[in-house]
Amino acid sequence: MTQTLSITLMTSGTTLVTVFCLLFFAGDPLYEFSLCLLIGIIVGTISSIFISATLPGLLGMKADYFYKKAEEIEALAERP
């Protein structure tokens, strides 16, 4: 969960920087386009954060489920 959240925020943050530059420096022809992109990125980020936070709980998954998988992956990675 924490890794997914950090990846989502980093990806959205770098994309927002680019869209802000496009919004302020591209001029009138691309203003509406970059504004739509900005709104879409913000709404998409918020929805993905809330879905990734609540969906495992709704499906009945607990934190132990994820830790077991991580331990299994580490055990597989250590094999020759």
Side-chain angles (χ1 to χ4, degrees):
M1 170 65 188
T2 307
Q3 189 176 18
T4 303
L5 181 63
S6 65
I7 290 172
T8 300
L9 291 177
M10 287 189 297
T11 303
S12 300
T14 55
T15 308
L16 282 174
V17 169
T18 306
V19 172
F20 271 123
C21 291
L22 188 66
L23 183 70
F24 293 119
F25 300 123
D28 287 337
L30 294 176
Y31 181 78
E32 287 98 8
F33 175 71
S34 56
L35 187 63
C36 291
L37 279 176
L38 180 70
I39 293 169
I41 291 169
I42 291 171
V43 170
T45 302
I46 291 171
S47 69
S48 95
I49 289 171
F50 284 115
I51 287 173
S52 68
T54 58
L55 190 60
L58 291 174
L59 294 174
M61 296 178 186
K62 300 194 180 200
D64 296 337
Y65 175 80
F66 298 106
Y67 291 127
K68 289 178 186 173
K69 294 295 182 181
E71 291 170 358
E72 291 174 7
I73 291 171
E74 289 176 3
L76 289 174
E78 292 175 0
R79 289 185 181 173

